[in-house]
Amino acid sequence: MTPPLSPADLAGKKWDWIVVCTGIGGATLGHALAAAGRRVLFLEMGEDPARNPQVLTGDYLESHRLDAAARRAEDFLNAGRFSGRIWDATRRRPIHPLLGSGVGGSSALYGMVMERFWPEDFEPRRWHPEAGEHLPARWPISFSDLEPHYRAAEALYRVSSAESDPLRSGQSFAYAAAPAPSSRRLADSLRQRGLHPYALPLARTPGTPCGYCQSFLCAHGCKNDAAKICIEPALQHHGAALLTRATVTSFQADEERVTGVQVSAGDQVLTFQAENFALAAGALLTPALLLKSRSARWPQGLANSSGLVGRYLMRHYIDLFGLPSFSPVSQTKEIGLNDFYLGDGDKYGTVADFGPMPPPGILLEDLDHDRAAAGRRPFPSSVRPLLKCGLSMVMERMRFLALIGEDLPHPDNRVELGENGVDLVIHSAITESERARIHRMRKRVRRALGGWVPILPNADNLKLLAHACGTCRMGEDPRQSVVNPFNRTHDLMNLFIVDGSFFPSSGGVNPALTIAANALRVADARELAGDSHRFQIPPF
């Protein structure tokens, strides 16, 4: 790898593609483009853990500084976390969700599960007719459009599994072989209840000691995240460039094209230019950047002629179910089951090993959030030490499974720009029909797992803002969507959005693999940014 150029030198070059942020979507797209010979520059607001000796690996930031007021922006950056201030307008409180900020984005924090959406996810209104017109009848792309790219993404991220989901028997996967799960007793118990457990597909390097570093940076070198799989090869082998600590402040554009991106890098404010721009800052920051880029030509924000930038925010409802008989392997993340994905005329989500639990102090903070949501006061300080001790004992004796429940789009659930020191404002309410579906999900999972099992309900806890998506939705009608079926914004012919913002619906599976597969689809559709002899994108 050649020595890095200075920010001013990078700004003086003309790039084929500038990719804003280096999570799964941006890194996968940029790697494919660079491998095809395109001149690619990655702009990342956070740190590069591979080159930062101050980085915190193998543990939660909260374990070191549980007092939120004492945490500095630098602490968050060194932990690979977003350091900005976010206000939950629905519950009227600040939140610090586990959002990645740094090379690899949120994939540097993920639990390594990379699993496909189901074919039924691409026809969402069929399963949720009560959602009405806000939920599209179908995505502009189909499962079959993504299937070859799913296989390519599985191979790229070296996804491994010992066995495929038996409920997906008609699909062919590109999984690498993995050792059989050690959780045979749990799998046998689930099968005896008529369920269909399988080995989770994990983007993990076999043969390395794995601590399942979920929600914090990996200390073991086993996690196949976007930094390891895409950014490093793009820099070392394909001539791409990377600028970290580069905060994009706005895009500049005329009526048809983005002409540049303004970046704050240290004490410099620079403008970078390219033929094409890919925005992949995540479903919260991507719309924020577009809304910040207001101008006389774009008074509502860039690419926002529809008025939908930031709207239709979705996430996943995460509930944890404790199994007290399977504690010896409580730190593993091996087993999943999709018996609740479709059934009883409804569509819920997947259930899988949660992996290592957060420290008791973090769990207690989450329980306080639940009490506040129910209109109750936080636990008094006099009982908190006892509660922490009790939580620690529970975690040592239980195996936790996570229910990932599908969220549905609503225009009032949205991201807005903050003021007075607040970076982002989030509105995320749960409708009565959604609450009823969450209750049905919990009841059905509990019954299947053996009746009464302890549950940590987190549907109302935005600190666990899991898998945010939908805020720049894809569609064919420019009046009802932000990007077209090729992920190009309807309004600007050289601006693409390739993170989870484009999702028309959230599905009930971790979105990482779908984001990666779609990024490969976009790169392929562009013929890697220039070769139009095989595939022609419809004209602007």
Side-chain angles (χ1 to χ4, degrees), residues 331-367:
Q331 297 300 299
T332 62
K333 192 182 182 94
E334 297 184 319
I335 300 296
L337 58 151
N338 281 313
D339 296 82
F340 314 105
Y341 212 90
L342 304 169
D344 294 343
D346 212 336
K347 182 168 174 282
Y348 299 120
T350 192
V351 174
D353 267 329
F354 183 75
M357 290 292 287
I362 297 177
L363 288 178
L364 187 56
E365 190 177 318
D366 291 341
L367 291 174

Side-chain angles (χ1 to χ4, degrees), residues 141-409:
I141 59 175
S142 67
F143 178 84
S144 61
D145 291 329
L146 271 186
E147 187 165 26
H149 306 289
Y150 272 135
R151 289 182 56 81
E154 288 161 353
L156 176 65
Y157 280 86
R158 306 168 201 166
V159 179
S160 61
S161 177
E163 57 184 349
S164 299
D165 181 357
L167 299 180
R168 295 181 184 247
S169 57
Q171 296 182 35
S172 173
F173 300 90
Y175 296 160
S182 60
S183 313
R184 292 177 182 174
R185 194 162 66 91
L186 172 59
D188 289 344
S189 175
L190 294 172
R191 290 189 184 98
Q192 289 170 8
R193 295 186 175 279
L195 302 173
H196 300 80
Y198 62 98
L200 287 172
L202 298 175
R204 180 180 62 178
T205 299
T208 55
C210 189
Y212 298 91
C213 296
Q214 180 170 269
S215 304
F216 47 86
L217 298 176
C218 182
H220 306 280
C222 63
K223 185 182 293 188
N224 295 342
D225 59 16
K228 175 181 176 180
I229 295 298
C230 294
I231 299 298
E232 287 300 321
L235 300 182
Q236 293 180 14
H237 306 302
H238 305 305
L242 167 68
L243 180 61
T244 57
R245 295 291 188 115
T247 300
V248 174
T249 56
S250 66
F251 286 91
Q252 301 165 350
D254 57 26
E255 289 84 354
E256 294 186 345
R257 300 179 64 88
V258 173
T259 57
V261 59
Q262 191 173 75
V263 175
S264 174
D267 58 356
Q268 297 178 290
V269 176
L270 302 167
T271 298
F272 294 79
Q273 296 181 326
E275 290 295 324
N276 300 283
F277 296 81
L279 182 50
L284 303 185
L285 293 179
T286 282
L289 285 172
L290 296 175
L291 293 173
K292 282 181 181 178
S293 301
R294 292 189 178 101
S295 67
R297 293 188 179 96
W298 301 99
Q300 295 188 96
L302 196 65
N304 194 25
S305 63
S306 65
L308 296 181
V309 167
R311 292 193 177 270
Y312 294 111
L313 171 66
M314 294 172 285
R315 56 193 176 96
H316 279 150
Y317 306 127
I318 307 292
D319 285 334
L320 301 182
F321 295 83
L323 302 180
S325 302
F326 301 95
S327 59
V329 284
S330 61
Q331 297 300 299
T332 62
K333 192 182 182 94
E334 297 184 319
I335 300 296
L337 58 151
N338 281 313
D339 296 82
F340 314 105
Y341 212 90
L342 304 169
D344 294 343
D346 212 336
K347 182 168 174 282
Y348 299 120
T350 192
V351 174
D353 267 329
F354 183 75
M357 290 292 287
I362 297 177
L363 288 178
L364 187 56
E365 190 177 318
D366 291 341
L367 291 174
D368 276 339
H369 279 306
D370 291 335
R371 291 172 67 86
R376 302 165 67 188
R377 292 183 178 180
F379 292 109
S381 58
S382 59
V383 303
R384 295 178 79 85
L386 290 175
L387 288 171
K388 285 184 181 180
C389 181
L391 285 170
S392 180
M393 293 175 64
V394 167
M395 289 189 295
E396 290 173 359
R397 289 165 171 78
M398 284 193 180
R399 175 78 163 262
F400 283 91
L401 300 182
L403 165 64
I404 299 177
E406 182 174 15
D407 188 12
L408 300 180

Side-chain angles (χ1 to χ4, degrees), residues 5 75 152 166 287 441 470 488:
L5 298 175
D75 295 325
M441 286 191 290
R488 188 185 67 197

Side-chain angles (χ1 to χ4, degrees), residues 495-509:
L495 177 61
F496 295 75
I497 296 174
V498 292
D499 52 36
S501 303
F502 83 88
F503 283 21
S505 60
S506 70
V509 177

